[in-house]
Structure formats: structure tokens, C-alpha cells
Amino acid sequence: MTPVTEERFDIFDEELRPIGTAPRSEVHAKGYWHRTFHCWIVRREDDRLFIRFQKRQAGKDSYPDCYDITVAGHLAAGETVRDAVREIEEEIGLAAAFEEIVPLGEYRGESIGEAGGTPFIDREVSHVFGWLCGAPLTRFRLQPEEVAGVYEADARRLIALFTREEASVEAAGLELAADGRMLPVRRAVTASDFVPRAPSYYAGIFRALCGHYLV
């Protein structure tokens, strides 16, 4: 059997100066800064904006069953942010041109945890984008190894969730059944159900999306 080649990422120092490349396991073991792509997909209905987000598969080695960014992924060594738009089609089956997505800035995040029993130090420089896409959730084709479900909730209520003005928010969505069918669901979600990031990340991005698309 041919051994699986481990992904390699470009790595950076504390000043975000490039210092080479390293395999994924070493990047997370040693806490090298590396780049990721975040794309929050939204739908507009009159004067309301709905944020779409995913649920990570239960088998994921980090943050299983947590709600997360609609689409996200690492940039491989030598990849540009433009190249990373491929993640959208890979994870949810919808194709977007790089010119269709809107840059919302960069976010530097650090976290320490355990994945599959192995400690990790994750230091990411995330290039964050928004994409206005009115396609119904039934058009989404989820990557079953990565994504367990996809949902949407009112953006203003999600902002209130992450500013602690609301304890939970109702989200409507679809979840993958064992036989591959997409089943409609409604869930009450809380801030602690999401991948742990600074609440200011979520609230700030959701405000930026409202500011751009509700004009």
C-alpha cells in the first residue's frame, strides 16, 4: 500500500515572516503560525440576513460535533488565498468564483488542546470572507467525512448570542442521516456549541456581514 503523504503548510514566525514549510503534524505539535481560509455563507431575505454554518462530524479529531464556519480549511504549502476557494465546493458542493466572495479581514487565533489523544498548539492566520448565496440548503452536498449538517439562523440574533444578550438561538437546517439522506431539523444553539474562539470573532464577523450585505 502506498503511504499517504502528509499535507505540508507554509509556516511563519511571530511577525508572520515566512520561515519555510512543515508537515501538518509538526505545525500543530510545535505551534507554528500557518494560514487558513474561512468563508461564511449568507442568505438575504428582505431586510434580514441569515448566517449559514456547519456542524463538524462526530469523528473529527478536534472539536467533534461543534458548530463551525460554513467552510474552512488550511492553505497547503505554496497555495494562495485565491486557490483556497476550492474548499467551498469540496465541503458543501457549491462552486464560487474568487471574485464573488468578499474579504472581511484577517484573524489571528491561538488555541491549545488535544486531537485524538495528541496535544496540539494551533496558531492560525485566517483569511476571512463572506459569500452571498441564496441557494436553498437542499442544494448543499456535504462532504460526509467533514460535515454532519448545515444550518442557518438570523444574523442579528447570532450577534446577540455572542454578546451574551441571548442564551440560545433557533437554527433551521439539514443533517446527514446514516443512509446519506439530508433530514430537516430545528435546533436551539448556544455559544458554547460552537468551536471555541473569542466571542468577539463571531460577533465581529457577523456585524461585518450585516454591514456589507444589508445596505
Side-chain angles (χ1 to χ4, degrees):
M1 182 181 292
T2 304
V4 176
T5 302
E6 190 175 1
E7 292 177 285
R8 295 188 71 87
F9 302 150
D10 294 320
I11 56 175
F12 303 84
D13 65 15
E14 291 288 339
E15 303 301 319
L16 300 186
R17 294 175 296 219
I19 56 174
T21 68
R24 182 189 188 111
S25 59
E26 182 182 339
V27 169
H28 290 141
K30 296 185 176 179
Y32 290 126
W33 285 98
H34 56 289
R35 297 189 299 160
T36 61
F37 170 81
H38 293 181
C39 186
W40 288 95
I41 299 177
V42 299
R43 175 178 70 86
R44 181 172 176 173
E45 185 178 305
D46 300 323
D47 64 344
R48 298 176 70 193
L49 196 70
F50 292 85
I51 308 284
R52 289 156 162 203
F53 53 94
Q54 66 158 271
K55 187 177 187 181
R56 295 166 66 85
Q57 272 290 0
K60 294 284 287 182
D61 57 5
S62 61
Y63 310 119
D65 285 327
C66 285
Y67 297 119
D68 202 359
I69 302 151
T70 333
V71 172
H74 291 81
L75 272 68
E79 242 186 346
T80 66
V81 178
R82 175 180 284 270
D83 296 327
V85 76
R86 63 176 169 75
E87 292 279 355
I88 299 175
E89 189 165 11
E90 288 177 9
E91 289 200 3
I92 62 168
L94 299 178
F98 184 72
E99 290 72 21
E100 293 180 83
I101 63 176
V102 173
L104 300 174
E106 290 184 359
Y107 170 76
R108 289 179 64 159
E110 300 182 61
S111 62
I112 296 173
E114 214 175 77
T118 302
F120 69 78
I121 307 167
D122 194 19
R123 294 192 173 104
E124 298 183 355
V125 181
S126 302
H127 302 269
V128 186
F129 292 83
W131 182 33
L132 182 65
C133 175
L137 295 181
T138 51
R139 286 260 316 275
F140 286 43
R141 295 293 176 264
L142 307 185
Q143 186 178 14
E145 302 82 9
E146 301 285 336
V147 186
V150 63
Y151 316 81
E152 63 179 24
D154 181 272
R156 293 186 179 99
R157 293 202 62 197
L158 283 169
I159 292 169
L161 185 70
F162 285 99
T163 55
R164 300 184 179 179
E165 297 168 66
E166 295 205 33
S168 67
V169 170
E170 185 177 81
L174 297 170
E175 292 179 358
L176 272 176
D179 60 5
R181 288 181 302 149
M182 297 278 281
L183 303 180
V185 294
R186 300 190 83 84
R187 299 280 187 228
V189 302
T190 69
S192 62
D193 292 329
F194 282 76
V195 169
R197 297 183 179 91
S200 58
Y201 165 83
Y202 290 105
I205 293 300
F206 299 159
R207 286 191 185 104
L209 288 165
C210 288
H212 185 83
Y213 291 114
L214 292 179
V215 292

